[in-house]
Amino acid sequence: MRKKTTVPFLALTFLIAVVTWGICTIFGLFGFNIENASWLYIFVALCAFSPTIASYIVLKRKNEVNGIKEWLKTAFSFKCPLRFYLLVVMLIIVYYLPLAIITGLDEAKPFYMFFALIPLVLIGGGIEEIGWSYVLRPELNKKFGLILSSLIVGLIWAVWHIPVFLTQGRIESLSWFGLFTISCIGLSFALGAIMRITKNVFLCVLFHTMSNAVSGTLFEYSDSLFGTVLSSGLLIAVSIIVVFIFEKNVKRLSGK
């Protein structure tokens, strides 16, 4: 049984994020930024990897993993039924198809850029799930259930991104944070459904990676409140329904 890891994981994740972005901010006051001081990327990377770093440290201290090899083996377990991979693809389509219809595609970027971007967004986003979905989500799901736990993780996820919005020169800093939070909540329900059904961390990593790749290549940046609310609401509804159907079938097959 998973030991209590929520508080130490969140504390360490936000401590790393606050300290690293604080360092970047301080250097920024003296005219240093990532454009004229590339070594600042070290602190940017530490902040981006804070959920992943916290995941290993907390699980190791709690004796949940014996070392990095076991930790990575669990986080990148590729072997699972094809239908689970199809679930990931389906949820991506559920979220982004309405946005594609409402906001349109970015015709300036060729389709193959989606595949070219995947390795980058895997490192720059997908591996966050080694923290959120490996450590945080299962414990909250067990205590609060799918709906409340997905809402909580979505809000935490959004708050963790605040430094990105405070960074000058980033396109995200121009966005309405409330809009981003709605998106985080919607995507959190999908990730919650994937983790609850498959018990596979890698599929959550894959969903996060594909989501970032789609949003980074196929769409123009848009502040469409209607599109975001519609896509997020639809994704929440589909995620809940999929989990309900799956668990009902499991009970039926087990004779309960």
Side-chain angles (χ1 to χ4, degrees):
M1 181 180 296
R2 170 62 58 79
K3 299 177 182 179
K4 299 299 182 181
T5 56
T6 299
V7 173
F9 167 74
L10 288 176
L12 185 55
T13 296
F14 279 89
L15 176 63
I16 294 171
V18 169
V19 170
T20 52
W21 277 108
I23 291 173
C24 291
T25 300
I26 292 172
F27 276 109
L29 296 176
F30 293 94
F32 294 97
N33 55 57
I34 56 177
E35 294 180 356
N36 59 29
S38 58
W39 47 267
L40 282 175
Y41 273 111
I42 297 174
F43 300 103
V44 174
L46 286 173
C47 181
F49 296 156
S50 58
T52 311
I53 296 169
S55 168
Y56 177 73
I57 293 174
V58 169
L59 292 177
K60 186 67 171 64
R61 286 180 62 87
K62 296 287 185 178
N63 294 317
E64 293 287 329
V65 295
N66 293 322
I68 291 180
K69 184 177 180 180
E70 180 184 349
W71 176 67
L72 290 175
K73 184 178 180 180
T74 301
F76 290 94
S77 177
F78 305 102
K79 293 183 179 179
C80 58
L82 176 62
R83 65 181 182 275
F84 290 164
Y85 281 94
L86 295 177
L87 171 65
V88 171
V89 175
M90 181 194 75
L91 292 175
I92 288 289
I93 293 173
V94 166
Y95 183 76
Y96 284 103
L97 182 58
L99 281 178
I101 295 173
I102 294 169
T103 67
L105 297 177
D106 186 355
E107 298 180 357
K109 297 175 183 176
F111 179 74
Y112 66 80
M113 285 297 296
F114 166 80
F115 301 99
L117 193 62
I118 283 182
L120 178 62
V121 293
L122 169 64
I123 302 299
I127 61 172
E128 289 175 26
E129 296 307 320
I130 302 179
W132 308 130
S133 291
Y134 190 172
V135 181
L136 181 62
R137 196 176 297 278
E139 190 169 308
L140 291 180
N141 183 65
K142 182 179 179 181
K143 185 174 182 179
F144 299 113
L146 173 67
I147 295 176
L148 187 54
S149 67
S150 296
L151 177 61
I152 292 171
V153 175
L155 290 173
I156 292 172
W157 190 19
V159 170
W160 177 79
H161 278 88
I162 286 178
V164 178
F165 285 82
L166 298 178
T167 301
Q168 296 298 320
R170 291 291 298 271
I171 192 169
E172 293 91 338
S173 67
L174 305 176
S175 176
W176 178 34
F177 181 71
L179 194 69
F180 178 76
T181 301
I182 293 171
S183 177
C184 282
I185 292 172
L187 294 171
S188 179
F189 271 82
L191 287 161
I194 292 169
M195 193 63 191
R196 182 151 175 159
I197 291 172
T198 70
K199 307 295 189 297
N200 188 291
V201 179
F202 171 71
L203 291 180
C204 293
V205 173
L206 179 63
F207 177 88
H208 193 145
T209 300
M210 290 180 65
S211 176
N212 284 8
V214 170
S215 63
T217 58
L218 302 184
F219 292 92
E220 294 182 1
Y221 190 74
S222 173
D223 281 339
S224 172
L225 176 61
F226 175 71
T228 301
V229 170
L230 177 63
S231 291
S232 297
L234 184 60
L235 187 60
I236 289 171
V238 171
S239 299
I240 293 173
I241 291 171
V242 167
V243 170
F244 175 78
I245 294 173
F246 175 80
E247 294 186 344
K248 185 176 181 180
N249 287 336
V250 169
K251 290 180 180 180
R252 179 177 58 83
L253 293 174
S254 63
K256 294 183 179 180

